[in-house]
Amino acid sequence: MEFLRPASWEEALAAKAEHPAAVPIAGGTDVMVEINFDRRRPDHLLDLTRIAELYEWQTGDQTVRLGASVPYTRIIERLAAELPGLAIAAHTVGSPQIRNRGSVGGNLGAASPAGDAHPALLAAGAEVEVASVRGSRRIPVEEFYTGVKRNALADDELIRAIHIRKAAGPQQFSKVGTRNAMVIAVCAFAIALHPDTRTVRTGIGSAAPTPVRARAAEDFLNAALAEGGFWDGGRTITPSIARRFAELCAAACDPIDDVRGSAAYRRHAVSIMARRTLGWTWEAFRAGGDTTGDTTEGGARCA
Amino acid sequence: MRVTFTVNGRPQQADDVWEGESLLYVLRERLGLPGSKNACEQGECGSCTVRLDGVPVCACLVAAGQAEGREVVTVEGLAQYADARSRRTTQDTTATQDTTDTTDATTAADTTTATDATTATDTTAAATRQPPPLAPVQQAFIDTGAIQCGFCTPGLLIAADELLERTPDPSDADIREALSGNLCRCTGYEKILDAVRLAAARTTEAR
Ligand SMILES: Cc1cc2nc3c(=O)[nH]c(=O)nc-3n(C[C@H](O)[C@H](O)[C@H](O)COP(=O)(O)OP(=O)(O)OC[C@H]3O[C@@H](n4cnc5c(N)ncnc54)[C@H](O)[C@@H]3O)c2cc1C
Ligand code: FES
Ligand code: FES
């Protein structure tokens, strides 16, 4: 095995071009587990921790450009106002030690259907900036997930940053697991209200081969909110709209039975999380309040 | 490959390190520092927790090569680390109290801290041949009976000490969250929580 230690982004791209099978390692919280357990023996490890720009972020007018390796802890501490959904999701990842190292770039690289950043990115709206020596491109996050633990990266490409739309309204993230810390999601749900465009977007985790948006549910809700004049009137969403939205979210799932939960349970849990998070965010929107609709500290509210 | 980094304030070098090796393995098997424990090797238990450039991490999930040029603190160096920190804090307070010119005081404190604290520790240690006193969290773990088999203790001490550095007067929720990455199979955690509260109380009192 060879340990490649590029000092700059350009060097990293050159190394990846030269060794397309090299495994990038950022926080290592996925990669090292695989190596420790002999599940992976790459010829080259490509260490990204010397590349300072991957740990930086820039807040623009419309979006936050988040460096691929920015650890979850930083997102929670520094970006909760701009990216409330992602910050809540980040807070549910592993433990402090894991959040101090793990990154959204690594979550995307691993592309596990259970990755907690994914539903939040889908709901907020995001593009993944990837690059190789051939040039760079931006992939809408919906198109980034191509299968179970598979993503749209070419062999010579690396993730440089994630461009995430800044919250224009309340956002929430909810996750089912056996305890608060150190839990891989049984299933997860994220929602973002976009009052600027009068749309609602969703993201579902761990309930299909890839993270997905519940498009039919979004379409139904956007139409119902527009027709009923809900955005202007600041009215409470009717139970029948919320119920239908929840049903359509459950219908967007394509889950499996596994040790963490049955397919039927996952569908049911997603519908409950969809209804509740819609309620929380809509109430926050009506109150004109904060961007999470969260009244308890640290987003610790139970779904 | 060769890995050169600082452990508990001392430059260290490990040779013939396998490229896929973890920092934990290098510490335990190559540098003779078995304080950080190896239980799960998958980030679940926290018994391998060390500070990497000040940040608590699972040493089992850091590739050895990623530690190149960095500073690591393990439980073996915790007493000295906490001692140096408390001297720094006392110095800061004294400096600020002793003079009305706060700008100068800060500058003075900032420039002197690192070097002076270390020198002071070294001289004392050399003169009396005594190790630094246990860190407040270490003493509190002993005093409250927060240790049974002791396997989880090194990781918990590192995590708890970092919490108190950041949040000297933590709430119970703060403590639970800070220790949520550390498993203990023996104590049922109550005495561990007591220990952290006790260490916090003693430290704030001492200031
Ligand atoms: C104890 C434990 C608990 C966990 N809990 C959770 C949890 O609750 N929720 C959750 O979502 N995840 C969890 N994880 C998984 C992991 O922490 C996350 O997936 C994390 O986001 C990975 O980030 P990293 O920087 O550590 O990635 P790494 O392990 O360094 O890399 C992960 C993958 O991404 C690739 N990669 C990394 N950076 C790039 C890049 N810039 N370009 C291209 N490819 C790249 C790597 O090659 C690898 O395939 C947990 C892991 C552990 C060990
Ligand atoms: S040995 Fe590292 S977390 Fe368990
Ligand atoms: S004292 Fe035995 S594991 Fe904690």
Side-chain angles (χ1 to χ4, degrees):
Chain A
M1 197 186 284
E2 217 181 310
F3 196 82
L4 307 171
R5 207 176 286 158
S8 70
W9 179 244
E10 288 68 30
E11 274 181 50
L13 292 184
K16 189 68 171 135
E18 194 183 336
H19 309 285
V23 172
I25 176 165
T29 58
D30 281 314
V31 172
M32 285 306 288
V33 175
E34 293 182 321
I35 292 179
N36 290 345
F37 283 78
D38 243 332
R39 286 186 217 129
R40 211 166 184 180
R41 275 283 177 278
D43 286 335
H44 297 90
L45 273 180
L46 180 59
D47 179 27
L48 300 177
T49 56
R50 312 272 145 187
I51 305 170
E53 71 157 85
L54 296 181
Y55 291 84
E56 292 161 4
W57 66 89
Q58 294 88 32
T59 306
D61 244 11
Q62 305 282 325
T63 57
V64 173
R65 182 180 184 275
L66 182 72
S69 299
V70 174
Y72 292 115
T73 303
R74 247 338 79 63
I75 297 173
I76 299 164
E77 289 169 353
R78 305 290 298 278
L79 287 165
E82 294 86 353
L83 309 173
L86 184 63
I88 299 173
H91 209 154
T92 74
V93 171
S95 65
Q97 290 91 325
I98 301 299
R99 296 194 287 272
N100 284 341
R101 296 283 286 172
S103 63
V104 175
N107 218 221
L108 287 164
S112 158
D116 286 318
H118 312 317
L121 295 177
L122 287 165
E127 286 183 351
V128 186
E129 181 186 337
V130 308
S132 69
V133 287
R134 295 174 290 120
S136 75
R137 57 184 179 131
R138 280 167 69 155
I139 308 170
V141 72
E142 291 83 343
E143 291 163 27
F144 190 79
Y145 315 110
T146 54
V148 179
K149 302 195 176 179
R150 295 169 63 98
N151 61 37
L153 285 177
D155 281 347
D156 61 348
E157 282 180 322
L158 293 172
I159 303 166
R160 186 174 203 174
I162 305 97
H163 299 255
I164 310 159
R165 267 179 48 198
K166 278 163 68 177
Q171 302 186 346
Q172 265 295 348
F173 172 86
S174 183
K175 165 173 167 182
V176 174
T178 43
R179 58 184 277 234
N180 268 342
M182 211 63 101
V183 150
I184 305 177
V186 175
C187 53
F189 187 83
I191 190 167
L193 306 193
H194 300 273
D196 50 339
T197 52
R198 300 198 160 185
T199 52
V200 176
R201 287 169 55 123
T202 59
I204 297 174
S206 227
T210 65
V212 289
R213 280 170 66 187
R215 302 238 187 204
E218 293 175 13
D219 291 345
F220 160 77
L221 183 62
N222 292 335
L225 294 178
E227 275 160 31
F230 283 88
W231 291 104
D232 294 312
R235 286 164 50 204
T236 307
I237 290 183
T238 63
S240 65
I241 293 179
R243 199 178 318 118
R244 185 69 191 136
F245 172 70
E247 280 167 15
L248 289 168
C249 287
C253 301
D254 181 12
I256 53 167
D257 294 320
D258 69 10
V259 287
R260 281 177 283 139
S262 67
Y265 175 76
R266 286 189 159 98
R267 264 198 207 91
H268 176 69
V270 163
S271 79
I272 304 282
M273 290 190 289
R275 181 167 53 73
R276 289 186 183 166
T277 55
L278 173 62
W280 298 340
T281 46
W282 190 260
E283 285 314 304
F285 169 68
R286 288 180 63 222
D290 64 28
T291 45
T292 61
D294 210 322
T295 47
T296 58
E297 236 173 76
R301 179 175 188 167
C302 283
Chain B
M1 69 178 169
R2 168 176 291 183
V3 183
T4 310
F5 60 120
T6 304
V7 187
N8 300 326
R10 288 207 187 84
Q12 293 277 9
Q13 181 176 305
D15 281 314
D16 301 320
V17 173
W18 175 59
E19 287 70 16
E21 208 162 291
S22 70
L23 170 61
L24 180 62
Y25 190 93
V26 171
L27 291 171
R28 290 177 55 86
E29 310 296 336
R30 300 195 187 275
L31 301 180
L33 293 167
S36 313
K37 295 290 175 263
N38 178 358
C40 72
E41 288 196 295
Q42 53 181 315
E44 296 275 348
C45 74
S47 59
C48 65
T49 304
V50 300
R51 304 275 295 263
L52 178 65
D53 279 354
V55 179
V57 302
C58 297
C60 69
L61 299 183
V62 176
Q66 292 184 311
E68 174 71 35
R70 312 263 186 214
E71 288 192 21
V72 174
V73 176
T74 70
V75 72
E76 287 93 341
L78 184 62
Q80 190 197 334
Y81 182 83
D83 190 44
R85 181 178 57 217
S86 78
R87 281 160 195 272
R88 228 156 37 222
T89 324
T90 338
Q91 230 173 33
D92 275 349
T93 332
T94 328
T96 323
Q97 281 166 352
D98 281 353
T99 169
T100 41
D101 190 342
T102 39
T103 345
D104 275 358
T106 325
T107 326
D110 278 352
T111 37
T112 48
T113 39
T115 28
D116 275 5
T118 329
T119 329
T121 320
D122 286 347
T123 340
T124 325
T128 59
R129 305 241 175 268
Q130 291 229 329
L134 290 179
V137 281
Q138 290 175 307
Q139 193 58 53
F141 266 62
I142 295 170
D143 295 343
T144 55
I147 307 167
Q148 287 186 29
C149 80
F151 204 82
C152 65
T153 312
L156 275 161
L157 289 171
I158 295 283
D161 179 72
E162 192 266 348
L163 166 70
L164 297 182
E165 181 178 299
R166 222 175 349 112
T167 315
D169 189 15
S171 68
D172 277 8
D174 292 334
I175 301 175
R176 282 171 186 275
E177 171 148 348
L179 304 187
S180 62
N182 295 77
L183 296 181
C184 173
R185 296 299 300 270
C186 302
T187 64
Y189 301 103
E190 284 306 327
K191 295 197 169 174
I192 293 173
L193 297 180
D194 287 345
V196 180
R197 290 185 203 112
L198 178 63
R202 283 179 180 164
T203 317
T204 3
E205 233 169 67
R207 281 202 188 149

